[in-house]
Amino acid sequence: MSEPSLLRQLLDRQEIMAVMAAYTRCADMNQPEQQAEVFIEDCRVKYHPTDWIVGRSALLEALRTALARYAKTSHHLGNIEIDFEGPDSATAQSAVIAWHRRNDGSEWTLYGRYVDRWTRTEQGWRLAERELRAAGAVGRDDSQLPPLGRASGALT
Amino acid sequence: MSEPSLLRQLLDRQEIMAVMAAYTRCADMNQPEQQAEVFIEDCRVKYHPTDWIVGRSALLEALRTALARYAKTSHHLGNIEIDFEGPDSATAQSAVIAWHRRNDGSEWTLYGRYVDRWTRTEQGWRLAERELRAAGAVGRDDSQLPPLGRASGALT
Amino acid sequence: MSEPSLLRQLLDRQEIMAVMAAYTRCADMNQPEQQAEVFIEDCRVKYHPTDWIVGRSALLEALRTALARYAKTSHHLGNIEIDFEGPDSATAQSAVIAWHRRNDGSEWTLYGRYVDRWTRTEQGWRLAERELRAAGAVGRDDSQLPPLGRASGALT
């Protein structure tokens, strides 16, 4: 790639990482409207082992309902990997720790991974697809969460 | 912005993130003198719900006292967002998980957010202002910590 | 440095951070073969207070054995600091939170730091040396882990 193209890709990475951070900030501030804005209109999102949420208005309702269960949350991203498929689309993965305090005061913590598809829109990079995969959870039965798909731990 | 300006801003982001990392490293190594060096002389810092620490020498005393309470700490930053206000100043936010083991062996973990003002000095980018806001804490009464300001969790 | 050199260094940072992320992803997916591939053939790795693992084939055996003890793990990096020693070598530090669920269902969490040497190879940047230093651990006796080397917490 030429130098201007390499610079452009670094700027695109920077913008995608900033939008990833906004997703978590809006969750923790209980701002589901702003959180939904980081997705495209016809997004697909999976927080459940089998069911996909389709479209931003359905997502907004799901985010509102989910955030209302909690008195406090704190999401923390790391290990961000972004691979460009072309100038206007990318796949990405990130690791997430998400601490939750329910309205009854009980707590649980998610250790997981987001698997994403990103697309460039006129408003900037937005999430076209996000799939949560859980390594595990503490304080909650994590067999109800979509699994990471880790290989068996047994030695062969 | 021109390409040289865009490159410069990526380098500025990189330098700010490196200084953010140094702050946490110095805390966890119990090096309050080095930790205070990432702030400007007339900094303002808020770790308490209402009181600001003003000036680097007051900050150094506060850091010394705070770190001396702990046998071990571990600070972890993520979700870094930096917005430039001009070539020499920026606002920033980051999410922090901070695990603490007190000298008596008891432990607590902070889930929070730093809200910063950064300024470019002759020595490089330094913190002019840092405000801690706590999403919550485990192992400690978090009503004593400065709140994140999350919107009410109740459905309207 | 010239602008092309500055751009090159940003790209090198980006590549090293991507390989750091791959290390954690492969660990959490229980893919020790792929995890070992991020190291050079004659790497040196220290996960123990005194013993170094020398060479990639010994490392692969150690990773296989270690990962087989766990049903689930989740590694999270932050606070990445990279310092270039020349165009083809760098030192780096990062902070890690690593949650582990053993095959018996018990759990422990590491709060630590990786201290690295990176080298550019024909296949890209690879780990020449990685040393784990533990701030502490929850759910496990952390006196058996290599220490961070924190200064004494006592006020002088």
Side-chain angles (χ1 to χ4, degrees):
Chain A
M1 277 201 287
S2 66
E3 280 186 17
S5 301
L6 290 167
L7 177 59
R8 175 55 50 193
Q9 200 169 85
L10 284 174
L11 293 165
D12 284 334
R13 284 181 190 283
Q14 159 55 32
E15 188 186 329
I16 290 173
M17 289 191 289
V19 183
M20 285 184 176
Y23 170 97
T24 62
R25 176 171 42 77
C26 294
D28 297 339
M29 297 296 286
N30 189 25
Q31 298 173 329
E33 289 78 10
Q34 293 94 317
Q35 194 184 6
E37 288 301 315
V38 310
F39 293 83
I40 61 170
E41 181 67 40
D42 59 339
C43 58
R44 300 175 73 239
V45 184
K46 189 162 169 261
Y47 295 131
H48 181 273
T50 54
D51 297 350
W52 287 86
I53 299 163
V54 179
R56 196 165 54 201
S57 63
L59 176 63
L60 175 55
E61 280 312 299
L63 293 173
R64 274 195 185 123
T65 306
L67 291 176
R69 288 191 196 111
Y70 298 105
K72 298 165 188 284
T73 66
S74 195
H75 289 73
H76 299 260
L77 297 180
N79 316 359
I80 295 171
E81 298 178 270
I82 300 170
D83 293 299
F84 290 93
E85 300 176 316
D88 300 325
S89 74
T91 58
Q93 293 204 20
S94 55
V96 60
I97 297 177
W99 170 79
H100 304 73
R101 181 177 293 162
R102 297 184 191 89
N103 290 323
D104 68 6
S106 66
E107 294 173 357
W108 72 283
T109 301
L110 168 73
Y111 295 96
R113 183 166 280 275
Y114 293 126
V115 180
D116 297 342
R117 273 196 315 111
W118 289 80
T119 188
R120 191 199 302 273
T121 73
E122 286 180 17
Q123 289 76 42
W125 286 92
R126 292 291 180 271
L127 269 164
E129 191 173 298
R130 170 156 283 192
E131 188 183 342
L132 172 67
R133 298 181 190 170
V138 175
R140 171 176 172 164
D141 175 9
D142 56 22
S143 66
Q144 304 164 22
L145 295 168
L148 186 59
R150 183 184 189 271
S152 161
L155 278 177
T156 52
Chain B
M1 274 200 290
S2 66
E3 281 187 15
S5 300
L6 290 167
L7 177 60
R8 174 54 50 193
Q9 199 169 87
L10 284 174
L11 292 165
D12 284 334
R13 285 181 191 282
Q14 159 55 34
E15 188 186 326
I16 290 173
M17 290 191 287
V19 182
M20 285 183 175
Y23 170 96
T24 61
R25 175 171 43 77
C26 294
D28 298 338
M29 297 296 286
N30 189 24
Q31 297 172 330
E33 288 78 9
Q34 291 95 318
Q35 195 185 5
E37 289 299 316
V38 309
F39 292 83
I40 61 170
E41 181 66 38
D42 59 340
C43 57
R44 299 175 74 239
V45 184
K46 188 161 169 261
Y47 295 130
H48 182 273
T50 54
D51 299 350
W52 288 86
I53 300 163
V54 179
R56 195 163 58 201
S57 64
L59 176 64
L60 175 55
E61 280 312 299
L63 294 173
R64 273 195 185 123
T65 305
L67 291 176
R69 290 192 196 111
Y70 298 105
K72 297 165 189 286
T73 66
S74 195
H75 289 72
H76 299 259
L77 297 180
N79 316 0
I80 294 171
E81 297 178 89
I82 300 169
D83 292 298
F84 291 91
E85 300 177 315
D88 300 326
S89 74
T91 58
Q93 293 205 21
S94 55
V96 60
I97 297 177
W99 170 80
H100 305 74
R101 182 177 293 162
R102 297 184 190 90
N103 290 324
D104 67 8
S106 66
E107 294 172 358
W108 72 283
T109 301
L110 169 72
Y111 295 96
R113 184 166 279 276
Y114 292 126
V115 180
D116 296 343
R117 273 196 315 112
W118 289 81
T119 188
R120 192 199 302 273
T121 72
E122 287 181 16
Q123 289 75 44
W125 285 93
R126 293 289 181 272
L127 269 164
E129 191 172 299
R130 169 156 284 191
E131 188 182 343
L132 172 67
R133 298 181 190 170
V138 176
R140 171 176 173 165
D141 175 10
D142 56 22
S143 66
Q144 304 164 25
L145 295 169
L148 185 58
R150 185 185 188 272
S152 162
L155 277 177
T156 53
Chain C
M1 275 201 289
S2 66
E3 280 186 17
S5 301
L6 290 167
L7 177 59
R8 175 55 50 194
Q9 200 170 84
L10 284 174
L11 293 164
D12 284 335
R13 285 182 190 282
Q14 159 55 33
E15 189 185 326
I16 290 173
M17 290 191 288
V19 182
M20 285 184 175
Y23 171 96
T24 62
R25 176 170 42 77
C26 294
D28 297 339
M29 297 295 285
N30 190 24
Q31 298 173 327
E33 289 78 9
Q34 291 94 317
Q35 195 184 7
E37 287 301 315
V38 309
F39 292 84
I40 61 171
E41 180 67 40
D42 59 339
C43 58
R44 299 176 74 239
V45 184
K46 188 161 169 260
Y47 295 131
H48 182 273
T50 54
D51 298 350
W52 288 86
I53 299 163
V54 179
R56 196 165 56 201
S57 63
L59 176 63
L60 175 55
E61 280 312 300
L63 293 174
R64 274 195 184 124
T65 305
L67 291 176
R69 289 191 195 111
Y70 297 105
K72 297 166 189 286
T73 66
S74 196
H75 289 72
H76 300 260
L77 296 181
N79 316 0
I80 295 171
E81 298 178 89
I82 301 170
D83 293 298
F84 291 92
E85 300 177 316
D88 299 326
S89 73
T91 59
Q93 293 204 22
S94 55
V96 60
I97 297 177
W99 170 79
H100 304 74
R101 182 176 292 162
R102 297 183 191 92
N103 290 324
D104 68 8
S106 65
E107 294 172 358
W108 72 283
T109 301
L110 169 73
Y111 296 95
R113 184 166 278 277
Y114 293 126
V115 180
D116 297 343
R117 272 196 315 112
W118 289 81
T119 189
R120 191 199 302 273
T121 72
E122 287 181 16
Q123 289 76 43
W125 286 94
R126 293 290 181 271
L127 269 164
E129 191 172 297
R130 170 156 282 192
E131 188 182 342
L132 171 68
R133 297 181 190 170
V138 175
R140 171 176 172 166
D141 174 11
D142 57 21
S143 66
Q144 304 163 24
L145 294 169
L148 186 59
R150 183 184 189 271
S152 162
L155 278 176
T156 52

